[in-house]
């Protein structure tokens, strides 16, 4: 009976993401799902480390998707894009975390990363989205593939930032293609 209780407590103590394998390629839908605890070539960080890197002026990259005006709305329909809030100082490279990117999305990612790092592949980059979002994992993997050597993947993203009482989020402005 004691062994059973110990075994149960050990199982409960293991994080849910510990069993999620890192895929060899990019991950598709569903994008909101448990993520792995690793990303080959990148460092996985928590909110405490994100706050430290933020104070040190690391480049912060938000890859949360953007809700664009739907095609085919009836004439006269008023469209207001939903607001997206992000970590202060972050650039919003919207739609760059999907499994497959269009040429325009890939260019946005490449240009945005080059801009925030000022062309320095050794500048620390913190890539994030929301908690349990594969889009940040995909975008961080792409940054590693593009030759950035200090990629920090922040899987807790905006949600963990708020829970850690980081500076208040600010309205995100989408980076143009």
């Amino acid at each position: 009976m004691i062994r059973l209780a110990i075994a149960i407590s050990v199982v409960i103590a293991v994080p849910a993401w510990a069993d999620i394998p890192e895929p060899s390629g990019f991950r598709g839908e569903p994008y909101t799902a448990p993520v792995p605890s690793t990303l080959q070539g990148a460092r996985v960080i928590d909110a405490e480390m994100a706050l430290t890197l933020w104070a040190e002026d690391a480049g912060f990259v938000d890859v949360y998707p953007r809700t664009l005006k739907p095609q085919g709305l009836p004439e006269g329909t008023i469209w207001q894009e939903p607001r997206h809030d992000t970590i202060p100082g972050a650039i919003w490279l919207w739609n760059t975390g999907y499994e497959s990117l269009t040429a325009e999305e890939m260019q946005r990612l490449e240009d945005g990363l080059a801009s925030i790092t000022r062309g320095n592949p050794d500048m620390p980059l913190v890539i994030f989205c929301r908690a349990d979002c594969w889009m940040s994992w995909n975008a961080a993997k792409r940054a590693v593939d593009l030759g950035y050597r200090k990629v920090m993947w922040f899987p807790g993203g905006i949600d963990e930032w708020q829970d850690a009482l980081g500076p208040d989020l600010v309205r995100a402005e989408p980076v143009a293609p």
Side-chain angles (χ1 to χ4, degrees):
M1 187 62 149
I2 292 173
R3 286 186 185 163
L4 178 59
I6 292 171
I8 290 171
S9 66
V10 169
V11 169
I12 292 171
V14 175
W17 44 257
D19 296 325
I20 307 298
E22 200 176 308
S24 59
F26 298 102
R27 164 70 189 261
E29 292 187 34
Y31 290 105
T32 303
V35 294
S37 61
T38 60
L39 174 52
Q40 187 174 2
R43 180 176 172 195
V44 181
I45 64 169
D46 61 10
E48 183 178 340
M49 180 54 68
L51 285 163
T52 299
L53 289 163
W54 183 81
E56 295 172 357
D57 291 328
F60 274 67
V61 179
D62 185 342
V63 298
Y64 189 77
R66 183 176 180 192
T67 305
L68 297 174
K69 183 177 180 178
Q71 297 291 323
L73 287 177
E75 190 174 323
T77 301
I78 297 173
W79 167 255
Q80 185 167 350
E81 185 174 337
R83 179 181 170 135
H84 172 58
D85 290 334
T86 193
I87 294 170
I91 63 169
W92 183 21
L93 299 179
W94 51 280
N95 295 5
T96 58
Y98 288 114
E99 177 182 20
S100 298
L101 299 183
T102 65
E104 182 179 283
E105 290 162 345
M106 188 64 193
Q107 193 65 56
R108 183 181 315 114
L109 179 64
E110 290 174 3
D111 291 349
L113 294 178
S115 173
I116 199 162
T117 63
R118 296 176 292 288
N120 178 0
D122 289 317
M123 181 177 172
L125 278 172
V126 177
I127 300 178
F128 65 95
C129 187
R130 305 293 305 210
D132 286 330
C133 179
W134 279 89
M135 289 192 175
S136 61
W137 190 93
N138 288 341
K141 179 175 175 50
R142 281 194 175 90
V144 169
D145 292 348
L146 288 168
Y148 291 93
R149 294 186 280 269
K150 292 188 179 175
V151 175
M152 313 292 170
W153 175 45
F154 179 26
I158 293 168
D159 302 304
E160 192 176 323
W161 179 270
Q162 288 181 297
D163 290 345
L165 302 176
D168 288 344
L169 299 178
V170 297
R171 184 181 186 113
E173 294 299 330
V175 172

